[in-house]
């Protein structure tokens, strides 16, 4: 089967490229928490030779309870995601 490259930002996912891990917290909680998770996962992926994309939600609307916490909201969430992106 021929490889099909899929560009994701500055990375390329493909069956003939290093593994691409897309991972992060289910819900953003704070800047410190997001940066800690991004840093640990980025280092682990680097050590394993894998590529890494941070992902997290700032508004989890799919909760089983209407009283469940949904997240930090759009403005705070986007600020945290921008700070994580600036980490590289």
């Amino acid at each position: 089967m021929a490889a099909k490259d899929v560009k994701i930002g500055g990375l390329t996912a493909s069956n003939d490229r290093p593994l691409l891990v897309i991972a992060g917290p289910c819900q953003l909680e704070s800047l410190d928490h997001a940066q800690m998770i991004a840093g640990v996962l980025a280092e682990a992926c680097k050590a394993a030779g894998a590529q890494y994309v941070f992902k997290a939600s700032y508004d989890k609307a799919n909760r089983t309870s209407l009283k469940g916490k949904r997240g930090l909201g759009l403005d705070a969430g986007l600020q945290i995601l921008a700070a994580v992106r600036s980490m590289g």
Side-chain angles (χ1 to χ4, degrees):
M1 172 184 261
K4 177 175 172 121
D5 291 351
V6 177
K7 301 284 185 185
I8 303 170
L11 303 175
T12 302
S14 178
N15 61 349
D16 66 349
R17 302 274 181 149
L19 176 68
L20 175 66
V21 176
I22 302 172
C26 180
Q27 176 180 300
L28 288 173
E29 295 180 13
S30 70
L31 175 58
D32 290 340
H33 184 248
Q35 288 177 322
M36 181 273 299
I37 290 173
V40 169
L41 288 174
E43 287 298 317
C45 287
K46 183 178 179 181
Q51 304 175 86
Y52 175 60
V53 173
F54 179 83
K55 78 98 210 138
S57 295
Y58 52 80
D59 183 14
K60 293 295 280 187
N62 58 342
R63 296 291 187 210
T64 55
S65 170
L66 293 176
K67 297 177 183 177
K69 185 176 176 189
R70 288 186 54 162
L72 300 174
L74 180 64
D75 293 333
L78 291 177
Q79 288 176 1
I80 289 174
L81 292 174
V84 171
R85 173 181 267 172
S86 72
M87 294 172 61

